[in-house]
């Protein structure tokens, strides 16, 4: 746009700068006097002065002037409707840049930071390569000991001086307030010491943290607590933004590790007295936890440790974890190592921000020790002169100046300008004695902020990069143990690897998880338990159910508040094994008329009604979600109990080991094997030769006698021997299987029930009983999908018995589903019922405690000791071993085998004997008759029946060979007699001769 007039300057500007240009002077009617202005070359096209024009074309130019004047008036009216900000001090790359720093010069961190910042500014100004010749002009303001008001005043003063950035503040409380001012003035704040995690929130976009956040430090503390398996900690902290928000972050990190802060001891941030610290420590000593996290300022930290030492709270059993305030003191004051103060911190664990070793760091440390440390306290406190050491915050303060310088260089290289304006919203404060209307807004502050967040340099503290929230990336800490007159590094913590013992750097590839050994308070290397029972006189509130059944487990002693039973004795014995005293107070739960449900009792404990619950509590998944259980002290599982009937013994039980088809196949193979052996042996073996009848008998005898290895026939052929070896192996397997099966059948009591198991019970429509208040109901309905209408709640063993006897048809139940321990007690005197099948769940009983209770761990250890020394078994025998429905003699009688199971075998043997004897007698009679008939042909007669009987017995006694010889002799004599008769005539034999012959034979 061109503005042409006969009396005024002609200026070529961009449209967006026209309103700014109009604020420089006034309009022609009042006589414009152009004031000098410095404009950015990026925004101004040209500026030149035009003298009055009296040429002939002046009339046309006048008309053009009138038209431009109209447009100019329109633009002025539009701009006047907007808030007016005055732009001043615009420069491309100025010779100097104003930056500010807000510190507490008389504090441990402030002393070191002041010298480090001044050294960084000097290094940058002396090196033209950093800012291309531009110098940093730093204004350092002292907040004294005030963390609030003076810091606010200092920040306001810096805003009046057109400051582009502020280094600091040192305190988190001050940073919260100044960050609001920075948001309004658009001035970035770079803090090297404000570690409050909430500062890097969306509420404070212009706050950039150039040190580690307490969020990372509390994550490291939580990992230490988890590493040593502690569950409760006590937090002592200063009750300001820094302390509260740091402990809140610790609580969140501990919750991720299933731990918690059990007690918080808050201390006043200013004017804290010794009595207040003593009162806080006294309350801490009464707590159960012995793990104490000390998150305070440097000023009060050593005082707290000294008073804790005087109260004997730095001895064995205690754990003290100090945040990085302690390491800062130890680094800053080397004289502490030779002072008595070290006695107050023996065994303490502290953290220190990790900075990797580098050449620049070593050079700066050497420079610090030679020259820079002498500048500390020269104007304020000469006692801290040359001996004041360099701490981690000094390194981060030095790097903060370089981060700002690097961002400014990138800012100018990207065309940024140092433009400031007066905020019209502050016009109402014009004339105020504080001159707040002089505060300037940094127009391009957002651009500089973006360049700060994009910085990627390597400083004394290592690689410096920021995430989107304005926090340093890759945070790391050293874990330090205070020992003797010095410190010992026991490990590292990093965001990526957690706790480890890397030597070169926390990000070393070869890392070992965990920490090195720690020397704890009391000069012990044994890791403290981290918890003791409170010594404030409070007794442990133990909830005990008032059960109306199974009094062997839990029962109340009449006329007293005491309880007895198996569960009570186990709990008492375990408490006595604890390394500390735990006084208990038993609180009855229930009305004594119905069994209370353990689920309701456990929920009451979560509400704080009890500190523990003792009883026959089954450990289930749902219950472990709300409470912690000890090691199970008794195993148990669900079983099915139903009426049973003993099966009668069968005389044919010996046939039951093999099925009919097995018997048939076995018999066939006996014959087949015998036949094959006979075939392969008959040509070589005389034992397998002979008449057909004899060979058939040999086959049968040989095959069946192999069952008992009693065969007499020898096998001489190779094939026969190979076959016999295989068959003997088969016979051995058959014998073993038959023997074991028959033993099981004859010795195990055979029971019968209409309920075959859990599966048949679930698929039927019969009603099922369960103990009211137990978890059986939920298991049957949720796991087995049994409709709730089929379930019958019962309260006592007597109700169990009645329901089982009535049966499902008479309003009773078909079976009871309950835990084995209950059922064993129920079945002691009720032999008409029995357990059907096996346990279908594997669970146990345990004692319940609130979540993350350390007492649960110690009680579990005590229960294991009871199990190892036999104490659990002795308590079990005392309460749960009773006389059963059968005496020992009856049990032994039941185990003996009676005739009922074997008379079938004896019957078969008797019949076989009778048939064999009958056949033998019949055969002998037939042979004697034949023999007698031959004797009659020889005129042999008997004088009486007795003589005939004696003759028959004599015949039976004779061997078959003698009988055959006798027959052959008779035949020979008969043949000889016939020859004599033929030669000499008939021969007369009287009866006397015959009788003599018979008698002699007899």
């Amino acid at each position: 746009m061109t503005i042409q007039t006969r009396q005024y300057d002609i200026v070529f500007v961009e449209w967006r700068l026209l309103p700014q240009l109009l604020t420089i002077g006034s309009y022609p009617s009042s006589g414009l006097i152009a004031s000098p202005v410095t404009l950015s070359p990026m925004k101004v096209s040209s500026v030149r002065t035009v003298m009055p024009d009296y040429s002939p074309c002046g009339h046309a130019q006048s008309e053009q002037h009138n038209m431009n004047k109209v447009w100019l008036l329109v633009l002025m009216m539009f701009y006047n409707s907007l808030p007016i900000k005055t732009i001043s001090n615009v420069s491309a790359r100025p010779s100097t840049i104003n930056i500010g720093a807000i510190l507490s010069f008389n504090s441990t961190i402030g002393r070191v930071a002041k010298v480090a910042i001044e050294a960084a500014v000097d290094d940058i100004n002396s090196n033209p390569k950093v800012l291309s010749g531009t110098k940093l002009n730093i204004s350092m303001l002292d907040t004294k000991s005030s963390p609030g008001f003076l810091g606010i005043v200092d920040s306001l003063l810096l805003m009046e001086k057109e400051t582009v950035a502020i280094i600091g503040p040192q305190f988190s409380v001050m940073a919260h307030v100044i960050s609001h001012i920075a948001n309004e003035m658009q001035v970035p704040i770079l803090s090297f010491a404000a570690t409050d995690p909430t500062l890097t929130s969306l509420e404070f976009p212009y706050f950039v943290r150039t040190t580690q956040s307490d969020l990372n430090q509390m994550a490291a503390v939580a990992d230490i607590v988890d590493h040593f398996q502690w569950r409760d900690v006590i937090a002592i902290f200063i009750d300001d933004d820094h302390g509260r928000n740091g402990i809140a972050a610790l609580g969140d990190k501990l919750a991720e590790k299933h731990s918690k802060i059990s007690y918080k001891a808050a201390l006043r941030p200013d004017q804290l007295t010794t009595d207040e610290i003593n009162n806080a420590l006294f309350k801490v000593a009464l707590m159960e936890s012995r793990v104490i996290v000390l998150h305070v300022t440097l000023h009060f930290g050593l005082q707290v440790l000294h008073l804790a030492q005087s109260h004997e709270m730095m001895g064995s059993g205690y754990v003290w974890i100090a945040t990085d305030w302690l390491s800062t003191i130890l680094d800053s004051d080397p004289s502490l190592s030779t002072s008595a103060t070290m006695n107050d911190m023996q065994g303490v664990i502290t953290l220190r921000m990790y900075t990797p070793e580098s050449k620049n760091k070593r050079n700066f440390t050497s420079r610090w020790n030679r020259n820079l440390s002498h500048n500390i306290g020269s104007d304020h406190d000469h006692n801290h002169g040359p001996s004041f050491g360099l701490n981690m915050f000094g390194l981060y303060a030095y790097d903060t100046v370089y981060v700002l310088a690097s961002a400014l260089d990138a800012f100018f290289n990207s065309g940024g300008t140092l433009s400031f304006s007066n905020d019209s919203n502050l016009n109402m404060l014009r004339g105020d004695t504080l001159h707040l209307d002089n505060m300037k807004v940094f127009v391009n502050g957002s651009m500089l902020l973006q360049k700060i967040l994009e910085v990627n340099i390597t400083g004394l503290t290592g690689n410096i990069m920021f995430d989107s929230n304005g926090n340093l990336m890759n945070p790391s800490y050293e874990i330090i143990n205070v020992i003797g007159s010095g410190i010992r590094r026991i490990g590292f913590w990093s965001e990526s690897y957690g706790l480890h013992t890397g030597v070169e750097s926390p990000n070393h590839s070869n890392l070992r998880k965990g920490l090195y050994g720690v020397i704890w308070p009391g000069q012990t290397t044994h890791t403290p338990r981290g918890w003791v029972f409170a010594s404030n006189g409070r007794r442990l509130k133990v909830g005990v159910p008032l059960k109306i059944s199974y009094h062997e487990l839990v029962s109340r002693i009449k006329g007293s508040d005491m309880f007895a039973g198996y569960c009570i004795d186990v709990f008492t014995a375990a408490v006595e094994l604890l390394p500390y005293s735990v006084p208990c107070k038993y609180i009855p739960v229930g009305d004594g008329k119905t069994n209370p449900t353990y689920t309701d009792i456990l929920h009451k404990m979560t509400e704080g009604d009890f500190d523990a619950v003792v009883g026959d509590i089954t450990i289930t998944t749902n219950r472990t979600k709300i409470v912690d259980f000890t090691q199970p002290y008794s195993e148990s599982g669900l079983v099915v109990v139903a009426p049973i009937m003993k099966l009668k013994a069968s005389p044919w039980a010996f046939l039951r080991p093999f099925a009919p088809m097995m018997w048939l196949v076995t018999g066939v193979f006996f014959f087949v094997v015998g036949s094959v052996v006979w075939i392969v042996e008959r040509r070589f073996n005389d034992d397998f030769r002979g008449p057909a009848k004899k060979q058939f008998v040999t086959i049968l005898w040989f095959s069946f006698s192999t069952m008992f290895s009693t065969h007499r026939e020898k096998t001489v052929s190779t094939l026969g021997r190979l076959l016999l070896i295989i068959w003997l192996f088969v016979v051995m397997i058959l014998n073993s299987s038959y023997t074991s099966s028959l033993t099981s059948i004859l010795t195990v009591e055979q029971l019968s029930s209409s309920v075959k198991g859990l599966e048949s019970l679930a698929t039927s429509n019969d009603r099922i009983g369960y103990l009211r208040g137990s978890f059986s109901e939920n298991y049957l309905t949720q796991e087995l999908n049994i409709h709730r209408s089929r379930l019958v709640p019962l309260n006592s063993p007597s109700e169990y018995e009645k329901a089982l006897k009535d049966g499902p048809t008479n309003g009773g139940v078909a079976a009871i589903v309950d835990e084995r321990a209950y059922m064993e007690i129920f079945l002691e005197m009720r032999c008409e019922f029995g357990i059907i099948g096996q346990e279908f769940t594997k669970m146990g009983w345990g004692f319940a405690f609130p979540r993350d209770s350390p007492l649960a761990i110690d009680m579990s250890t005590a229960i294991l000791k009871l199990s190892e020394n036999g104490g659990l078994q002795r308590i079990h025998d005392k309460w749960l071993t009773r006389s059963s429905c059968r005496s020992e003699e009856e049990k032994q009688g039941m185990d003996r085998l009676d005739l009922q199971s074997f008379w079938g075998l004896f019957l078969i043997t008797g019949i076989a004997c009778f048939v064999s004897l009958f056949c033998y007698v019949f055969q002998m009679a037939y042979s004697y008759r034949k023999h007698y008939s031959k004797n009659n042909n020889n005129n042999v007669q008997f004088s009486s029946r007795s003589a005939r009987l004696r003759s028959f017995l004599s015949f039976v006694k004779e061997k078959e060979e003698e009988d055959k010889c006798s027959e052959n002799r008779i035949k020979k004599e008969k043949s000889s007699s016939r020859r004599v008769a033929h030669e000499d005539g008939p021969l007369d034999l009287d009866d006397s001769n015959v009788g003599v012959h018979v008698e002699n034979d007899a």
Side-chain angles (χ1 to χ4, degrees):
M1 169 182 171
T2 303
I3 303 176
Q4 184 175 4
T5 175
R6 295 171 56 180
Q7 300 176 356
Y8 311 105
D9 296 336
I10 301 174
V11 182
F12 296 92
V13 299
E14 296 182 5
W15 281 96
R16 56 179 176 164
L17 286 183
L18 181 59
Q20 300 175 3
L21 180 62
L22 293 177
T23 62
I24 298 175
S26 58
Y27 201 63
S29 58
S30 59
L32 181 82
I33 300 176
S35 60
V37 59
T38 302
L39 300 177
S40 170
M42 300 295 295
K43 299 179 180 178
V44 180
S45 301
S46 65
V47 178
R48 64 187 179 89
T49 302
V50 181
M51 298 301 293
D53 187 3
Y54 298 100
S55 64
C57 59
H59 179 70
Q61 293 175 348
S62 178
E63 292 181 354
Q64 182 67 29
H65 162 70
N66 292 334
M67 180 61 67
N68 292 337
K69 186 165 77 171
V70 171
W71 283 107
L72 184 60
L73 289 173
V74 172
L75 292 173
M76 290 179 63
M77 294 175 61
F78 173 75
Y79 183 72
N80 286 335
S81 64
L82 301 175
I84 298 176
K85 295 184 179 180
T86 302
I87 305 294
S88 63
N89 300 334
V90 181
S91 176
R93 186 182 280 270
S95 59
T96 60
I97 303 173
N98 294 330
I99 62 174
I102 301 177
L103 305 173
S104 177
F105 293 168
N106 61 347
S107 66
T108 302
I109 295 177
R111 289 190 184 99
V112 176
K114 179 178 181 296
V115 176
I117 292 174
E118 291 174 345
V121 172
D122 291 341
D123 292 344
I124 293 173
N125 291 339
S126 61
N127 185 0
K129 295 182 180 180
V130 179
L131 282 173
S132 301
T134 301
K135 306 293 184 180
L136 293 179
N137 180 27
I138 185 167
S139 300
M140 303 186 71
L141 301 181
D142 185 10
T143 63
K144 307 299 181 181
S145 298
S146 173
F149 177 73
L150 290 182
I152 298 174
V153 175
D154 290 343
S155 65
L156 297 177
L157 294 175
L158 291 175
M159 298 300 178
E160 295 178 5
K161 298 179 180 180
E162 299 181 350
T163 302
V164 298
I166 296 176
I167 298 175
Q170 179 180 330
F171 303 106
S172 296
V173 176
M174 189 184 302
H176 275 276
V177 179
I178 297 179
S179 293
H180 288 287
I181 301 175
N183 291 345
E184 185 69 21
M185 299 294 104
Q186 301 181 21
V187 176
I189 294 178
L190 294 84
S191 179
F192 59 89
T195 57
D196 180 2
T198 62
L199 285 171
T200 52
S201 63
L202 298 177
E203 184 181 6
F204 307 120
Y206 282 87
F207 179 86
V208 179
R209 194 195 319 274
T210 57
T211 187
Q212 305 292 348
S213 170
D214 275 346
L215 184 65
N216 301 316
Q217 183 172 204
M218 295 309 172
V221 173
D223 279 351
I224 295 174
V225 173
D226 182 65
H227 174 72
F228 293 106
Q229 299 181 356
W230 299 316
R231 290 294 172 260
D232 286 354
V233 303
I234 295 175
I236 301 177
F237 62 98
I238 297 297
D239 194 11
D240 58 8
D241 290 336
H242 172 256
R244 283 192 305 271
N245 295 331
I247 294 303
L250 175 61
D252 295 339
K253 294 300 181 179
L254 288 174
E256 296 176 2
K257 306 294 182 180
H258 304 290
S259 302
K260 69 178 187 299
I261 301 175
S262 59
Y263 180 73
K264 297 179 181 179
L267 303 176
R268 284 202 302 169
D270 55 354
Q271 298 180 357
L272 182 64
T273 64
T274 301
D275 290 339
E276 290 175 335
I277 298 176
N278 285 330
N279 291 336
L281 291 176
F282 177 74
K283 294 178 181 179
V284 169
L286 295 179
M287 297 296 109
E288 297 175 346
S289 177
R290 286 293 181 264
V291 181
I292 303 172
V293 177
L294 189 57
H295 184 54
V296 294
T297 60
L298 283 69
H299 180 65
F300 297 117
L302 295 180
Q303 187 179 2
V304 172
L305 291 178
H306 176 70
L307 293 177
Q309 174 73 16
S310 63
H311 292 304
E312 298 181 353
M313 296 177 64
M314 298 296 296
S316 179
Y318 279 90
V319 176
W320 287 83
I321 302 176
T323 50
D324 56 6
W325 66 265
L326 180 56
S327 62
T328 301
I329 291 179
L330 294 174
D331 292 339
S332 303
D333 191 357
S335 64
L336 281 177
S337 60
T338 58
S339 67
T341 306
M342 291 297 294
N343 296 329
D344 300 333
M345 60 183 75
Q346 294 299 305
V348 175
I349 293 178
T350 184
L351 294 89
R352 180 167 61 189
M353 291 179 287
Y354 176 75
T355 57
E357 293 296 327
S358 64
K359 181 180 180 180
N360 291 336
K361 179 183 175 181
R362 287 191 295 270
N363 292 338
F364 183 80
T365 303
S366 177
R367 175 184 170 192
W368 178 275
N369 295 330
R370 290 195 314 268
N371 302 318
L372 297 179
S373 63
H374 294 272
N375 298 329
I376 297 179
S378 59
D379 298 330
H380 301 277
D381 189 358
H382 293 279
N383 296 329
H384 293 85
S387 63
F388 215 79
L390 176 64
N391 56 46
M392 293 297 106
F393 290 102
L395 297 178
Y396 279 103
Y398 184 92
D399 281 349
T400 300
V401 180
Y402 265 90
V403 167
L404 179 57
S406 177
L408 285 170
D409 186 61
F411 172 78
F412 289 125
N413 291 337
S414 300
T417 60
L418 302 184
S419 303
F420 296 87
S421 65
N422 291 324
D423 193 343
S424 62
N425 294 327
L426 300 178
N427 290 336
M428 65 182 68
L429 301 176
R430 182 168 298 171
D432 189 15
T433 56
L434 294 177
H435 303 289
L436 297 179
D437 56 312
N438 293 331
M439 296 174 59
K440 299 291 193 300
V441 176
F442 185 15
V443 176
N444 292 324
S446 59
M447 182 179 179
L448 178 59
L449 174 65
Q450 186 61 34
K451 296 303 178 181
I452 293 174
L453 297 178
E454 293 174 358
V455 165
N456 184 2
I457 63 174
T458 300
L460 301 181
T461 59
N463 188 30
I464 302 175
M465 294 178 61
F466 297 95
D467 58 18
S468 59
N469 296 323
N471 287 317
L472 287 177
M473 300 178 65
N474 303 318
S476 300
Y477 283 87
E478 294 178 79
I479 313 300
I480 296 172
N481 186 202
V482 181
I483 304 172
S485 60
I487 59 176
R488 172 174 172 262
R489 187 170 61 192
I490 59 175
F492 297 92
W493 179 90
S494 62
E495 190 177 29
S496 302
Y497 298 98
L499 294 176
H500 55 84
T501 58
V503 178
E504 297 295 335
S505 71
N507 298 323
H508 196 268
S509 59
N510 186 16
L511 299 177
R512 186 177 69 87
K513 293 291 184 180
L515 299 172
Y516 290 119
V518 181
I519 298 179
W520 303 100
Q523 299 299 315
T524 178
T525 57
H526 178 70
T527 302
R529 185 172 56 251
W531 181 89
V532 296
F533 190 74
S535 57
N536 55 6
R538 184 179 67 88
R539 291 193 294 174
L540 191 72
K541 295 182 295 182
V542 181
V544 183
L546 287 176
K547 299 175 69 69
I548 63 173
S549 59
Y550 300 113
H551 292 162
E552 298 91 342
L553 302 175
V554 177
S555 63
R556 186 174 185 175
I557 300 175
K558 293 183 179 180
S560 68
D561 294 334
M562 302 301 295
F563 286 81
Y566 170 66
C567 302
I568 301 297
D569 280 5
V570 173
F571 181 78
T572 303
V575 169
E576 292 176 353
L577 292 177
L578 295 177
Y580 44 86
S581 176
V582 181
C584 300
K585 178 183 178 181
Y586 294 109
I587 302 175
V589 183
D591 55 7
K593 298 179 181 179
T594 58
N595 290 325
T597 62
Y598 277 116
T599 302
D600 295 340
I601 298 176
L602 296 180
H603 278 293
K604 288 183 178 180
M605 184 174 65
T606 60
E607 296 171 358
D609 293 349
F610 313 116
D611 300 320
V613 177
V614 173
D616 46 336
I617 313 172
T618 304
I619 303 174
T620 62
T621 303
N622 290 333
R623 291 174 179 175
T624 56
K625 295 178 181 178
I626 59 175
V627 299
D628 283 347
F629 283 95
T630 62
Q631 173 81 14
Y633 62 88
S634 179
E635 294 184 358
S636 185
L638 291 179
V639 294
V640 177
V641 173
I644 58 174
M645 178 180 60
K646 185 178 179 180
L647 296 176
K648 294 182 178 180
S650 172
W652 310 108
F654 67 91
L655 295 177
R656 291 171 58 187
F658 289 167
M661 181 57 68
M662 182 66 180
W663 282 113
L664 177 62
V665 172
T666 301
V668 169
F669 266 87
F670 270 112
F671 181 76
V672 169
V673 170
S675 300
V676 174
V677 171
W678 173 76
I679 293 173
V680 299
E681 288 287 333
R682 64 185 303 272
R683 293 189 60 193
F684 314 101
N685 196 338
D686 292 338
D687 292 338
F688 293 89
R689 301 183 64 85
K693 178 180 179 181
K694 178 183 177 182
Q695 294 182 43
F696 180 75
V697 172
T698 300
I699 292 173
L700 295 179
W701 164 255
F702 177 82
S703 59
F704 285 96
S705 62
T706 56
M707 182 181 297
F708 311 102
S709 300
T710 58
H711 54 283
R712 294 179 300 175
E713 293 78 9
K714 296 181 180 180
T715 54
V716 296
S717 65
T718 302
L719 292 177
R721 290 177 177 177
L722 179 62
L723 178 60
L724 185 60
I725 290 173
I726 296 175
W727 177 243
L728 288 176
F729 177 75
V730 174
V731 169
M732 181 187 69
I733 299 299
L734 293 175
N735 280 337
S736 301
S737 303
Y738 178 85
T739 302
S740 60
S741 179
L742 182 62
T743 301
S744 175
I745 292 172
L746 295 178
T747 57
V748 177
E749 184 178 13
Q750 301 297 310
L751 304 176
S752 175
S753 175
S754 58
V755 178
K756 302 303 180 184
L758 181 64
E759 293 78 9
S760 64
L761 186 64
T763 55
S764 67
N765 294 322
D766 295 335
R767 298 184 355 141
I768 305 171
Y770 68 95
L771 181 63
R772 186 188 300 273
S774 69
F775 77 100
S776 306
E777 179 183 10
N778 291 334
Y779 182 85
L780 294 173
T781 56
Q782 297 177 7
E783 301 296 331
L784 301 181
N785 298 321
I786 298 177
H787 199 272
R788 199 174 295 273
S789 60
R790 292 178 54 194
L791 304 181
V792 180
L794 303 171
N795 292 312
S796 63
S798 59
E799 294 185 12
Y800 279 11
E801 183 177 10
K802 183 178 183 303
L804 288 173
K805 287 182 177 179
D806 292 342
T809 58
N810 297 322
V813 297
I816 301 290
V817 175
D818 208 342
E819 296 182 63
R820 175 177 285 275
Y822 299 138
M823 293 296 94
E824 288 178 350
I825 298 175
F826 171 73
L827 296 175
E828 283 180 350
M829 302 301 296
R830 298 172 178 88
C831 297
E832 64 271 24
F833 310 112
I835 297 176
I836 308 301
Q838 302 294 325
E839 293 183 10
F840 47 91
T841 59
K842 289 293 184 182
M843 296 181 225
W845 292 347
F847 303 125
F849 292 88
R851 290 298 300 269
D852 302 324
S853 172
L855 191 57
I857 301 175
D858 293 345
M859 286 292 289
S860 296
T861 304
I863 291 173
L864 289 176
K865 292 181 180 178
L866 280 176
S867 177
E868 292 173 356
N869 61 25
L872 275 181
Q873 187 61 43
R874 288 191 294 271
I875 298 174
H876 180 276
D877 296 341
K878 173 184 175 182
W879 289 98
L880 302 182
T881 301
R882 295 288 187 272
S883 58
S884 61
C885 56
R886 297 183 180 90
S887 63
E888 292 299 324
E889 292 77 9
E890 290 175 336
K891 290 182 179 180
Q892 293 177 3
M894 181 186 67
D895 294 337
R896 296 193 182 102
L897 300 177
D898 54 14
L899 182 62
Q900 186 71 18
S901 302
F902 296 96
W903 70 264
L905 290 174
F906 291 116
L907 177 62
I908 293 175
T909 304
I911 292 175
C913 293
F914 176 77
V915 171
S916 299
L917 183 59
F918 177 79
C919 294
Y920 178 74
V921 172
F922 180 79
Q923 182 182 4
M924 290 298 101
Y926 176 77
S927 299
Y928 177 76
R929 184 178 181 82
K930 183 179 179 182
H931 175 75
Y932 179 72
S933 299
K934 293 178 180 179
N935 289 340
N936 285 340
N937 293 334
N938 295 326
N939 297 322
V940 178
Q941 296 181 356
F942 300 100
S943 58
S944 62
R945 290 183 178 180
S946 60
R948 184 178 298 176
L949 179 61
R950 287 194 298 272
S951 176
F952 177 73
L953 295 176
S954 299
F955 178 78
V956 172
K957 290 180 181 180
E958 291 180 356
K959 291 184 178 181
E960 185 176 358
E961 291 80 1
E962 295 178 354
D963 185 59
K964 291 181 177 179
C965 293
S966 177
E967 290 181 358
N968 294 334
R969 188 172 59 253
I970 293 174
K971 289 180 179 179
K972 291 179 179 179
E973 291 177 352
K974 186 176 181 181
S975 174
S976 175
S977 299
R978 288 179 178 175
R979 273 197 313 271
V980 171
H982 178 70
E983 296 175 358
D984 301 330
L987 177 62
D988 293 334
L989 297 174
D990 54 10
D991 295 338
S992 60
N993 294 332
V994 175
V996 173
H997 171 75
V998 174
E999 290 177 1
N1000 291 335
D1001 291 340

